[in-house]
Every structure is written in C-alpha cells, then in structure tokens.
Amino acid sequence: MPNKLEICNLEHKYGAIQSLKGVSLEVNENEIVALIGANGAGKTTLLRCISGILKPSKGEIRFEGKSIAGLPAYKVAKYGIAQVLESRHVFPKLTVMENIEMGAFLKKDNQRMQSDIEKWFEVFPRLKERIWQTAGTLSGGEQEMLAMVRGLISNPKLLILDEPSMGLAPIFIDEIFNIIPRLQKMGTTILLVEQNASMALAIADRGYVMETGNITLTDTGRRLLNNDKVRKMYLGEE
Ligand code: ATP
C-alpha cells in the first residue's frame, strides 16, 4: 500500500479535555482527501498527531503499513510526510530562496535540490520572480505558496495542508485551489483541512466531516457537496 495513510480509532486528550474520541480516516495513494468541520472540532489536533507534534493517547496511525503513532516529528518527516502549518511559519527575515533551502534539510544532493526547486517554481512562478525578497514582505498568498514549496521540496509522499486559504484574498484562494490538483497530478497524495468547505470538497476525491472529536460523515467530495447536512452546516445554506 504505497503512500497510504490509515488512522484507526485515534484518541487524544489535552489534560481532561478529550479532543479526539476515536477517529478513523484513510488517505489512499494519490488521493486528495478533505477534512472539514467547525472551529474546535479537532482537525488541527488530528494533523498534529499525524505529523508527530502531538502524541495520541490511544489508537493507531499507519503509513505504508508501518506504525508512526507517537513518533517524533523528524522521524515522521523521514517517512515522507510533510505538513504545511496553519499559520505558515515562514522565516520573515530570510529570503524566499533561504526559506526553501531550510525545507530541504533532509536532502544532501545539491544538484538534485536545484532541479527540484526549478520543478516547483514552474508550479509557483510567482515565487520564482521573488527569490531574493524577504519572506516577511510577501503577501499572505505568496507566503502560503512559499510554505507549500518548503513542504514540497523534500518531494513528500503525503502533503498535509492545514487551512491553506485562511486569511487570503479571494484571488489567492482561487490560485491555491488551482494549484492543489496540479500537485496531485504530479503524484503527491494530499490531506487537506479547510474551513472553506465548498472549495475543498470540489477538488477532493473524498471527504470527512469532523464534529467535536468524531468523524460523523464520509463520502466522495461531490456527494458531500450535495449532502443536505453539509450544505446547511458548512456551506451556509438554508
Ligand atoms: P479550528 O478550525 O478552529 O482550528 P480545529 O478543528 O482545528 O479548530 P483543534 O484546534 O484541534 O480544532 O481543537 C480541538 C479542541 O481541543 C478544541 O476544543 C480546543 O479548544 C481544544 N484545544 C486545542 N488546543 C488545546 C490546548 N493546547 N490545550 C487545551 N485544549 C486545546
């Protein structure tokens, strides 16, 4: 099962607060899977458990059949899982190029890194024009793109995106949501967490709805978009 992520009955607690109550979810090779849910549903907690920032209290996380639950973040990264964090976390005083090089810390071969940078610049030409600009002076959308390239530079098998549209102008939201399916076509498997449910479900092969620490609904992206409950609760329809 190449590139397959399997999460079974995952639980997590912040002290006495149970934030994940037995979550099961799968991402198959080369899928885009969207995870949607209201504020506080537990989406970020789930992503942090996958990438090793938080430790689950129970349950299993497997990638390509191997257990990764509870491993530290640097080991999870070595399995080929990259996470682009919600708040982007670019280094504001470093240039675009320096930020990208920071993401390539796992890579030793300099020539290979240069050709990888060129490959991702073709997808993100806006960044290529700005390689010497400091990241703090980029627009929000450009910073999101930089965070994505930094995650992609190690050619991850699974890319996890946490709210890539957050705080962006509509034009950048459109641009990011055009780019994500291109990344899929280039062979990347993607788990996408989004408040913007309509755009996420429109590009997702499958989706999951999360409510207060549980997965309450799962289906194809298209069917979830047409689901009455999803339309009322997450798409703002009456
Ligand atoms: P959002 O869309 O607002 O980011 P979310 O679905 O990602 O929400 P989480 O951030 O995972 O939700 O939060 C899940 C629950 O855990 C919430 O009730 C939240 O208040 C709680 N929580 C999150 N972080 C902590 C923390 N460090 N300590 C205590 N409780 C926390």
Side-chain angles (χ1 to χ4, degrees):
M1 18 183 163
N3 298 5
K4 180 169 178 155
L5 176 75
E6 297 162 282
I7 299 174
C8 304
N9 298 317
L10 203 73
E11 296 188 21
H12 175 270
K13 289 181 185 148
Y14 291 107
I17 301 168
Q18 180 130 22
S19 44
L20 300 178
K21 300 173 182 166
V23 169
S24 297
L25 171 154
E26 283 182 7
V27 185
N28 295 303
E29 182 176 24
N30 210 213
E31 272 188 325
I32 296 178
V33 169
L35 176 63
I36 62 170
N39 289 116
K43 305 177 300 293
T44 300
T45 304
L46 178 63
L47 297 194
R48 291 192 170 155
C49 285
I50 299 169
S51 56
I53 299 167
L54 292 174
K55 276 194 202 312
S57 49
K58 261 193 198 165
E60 190 49 277
I61 308 174
R62 281 189 291 270
F63 189 61
E64 300 189 313
K66 294 180 207 101
S67 175
I68 58 163
L71 291 183
Y74 79 96
K75 283 203 176 150
V76 174
K78 283 189 181 168
Y79 277 90
I81 299 177
Q83 183 169 343
V84 181
L85 296 169
E86 189 176 15
S87 41
R88 301 185 185 118
H89 292 296
V90 294
F91 298 101
K93 297 237 165 75
L94 299 185
T95 65
V96 166
M97 197 58 154
E98 286 164 342
N99 265 278
I100 294 172
E101 284 166 0
M102 297 284 282
F105 70 97
L106 291 173
K107 189 154 293 189
K108 295 182 183 75
D109 177 348
N110 199 36
Q111 211 169 358
R112 169 103 193 273
M113 190 179 90
Q114 288 309 323
S115 71
D116 282 343
I117 289 177
E118 283 305 318
K119 174 176 86 177
W120 297 117
F121 276 164
E122 274 174 37
V123 184
F124 298 90
R126 198 183 262 281
L127 286 183
K128 187 172 185 173
E129 295 159 15
R130 293 173 171 76
I131 48 175
W132 306 120
Q133 195 171 324
T134 52
T137 63
L138 297 173
S139 72
E142 290 159 358
Q143 289 189 19
E144 177 62 31
M145 291 177 194
L146 176 56
M148 286 171 78
V149 171
R150 213 174 45 186
L152 287 162
I153 199 68
S154 57
N155 293 315
K157 295 172 177 174
L158 173 65
L159 181 71
I160 299 176
L161 299 172
D162 194 358
E163 309 242 5
S165 79
M166 194 172 61
L168 299 188
I171 187 168
F172 275 114
I173 298 179
D174 289 346
E175 204 167 331
I176 298 280
F177 275 89
N178 281 329
I179 285 171
I180 296 169
R182 282 185 68 192
L183 303 179
Q184 178 186 35
K185 286 201 185 77
M186 291 167 82
T188 313
T189 303
I190 294 162
L191 175 58
L192 167 69
V193 164
E194 257 298 333
Q195 290 278 341
N196 194 330
S198 58
M199 291 193 85
L201 293 173
I203 61 164
D205 298 295
R206 294 186 306 110
Y208 291 83
V209 177
M210 198 167 182
E211 290 174 55
T212 57
N214 290 299
I215 299 290
T216 51
L217 202 54
T218 179
D219 210 329
T220 62
R222 188 181 297 248
R223 280 204 288 264
L224 286 175
L225 263 181
N226 291 313
N227 179 290
D228 282 344
K229 183 177 169 188
V230 172
R231 295 177 80 91
K232 273 199 196 111
M233 289 189 68
Y234 303 104
L235 306 179
E237 295 184 11
E238 288 304 311

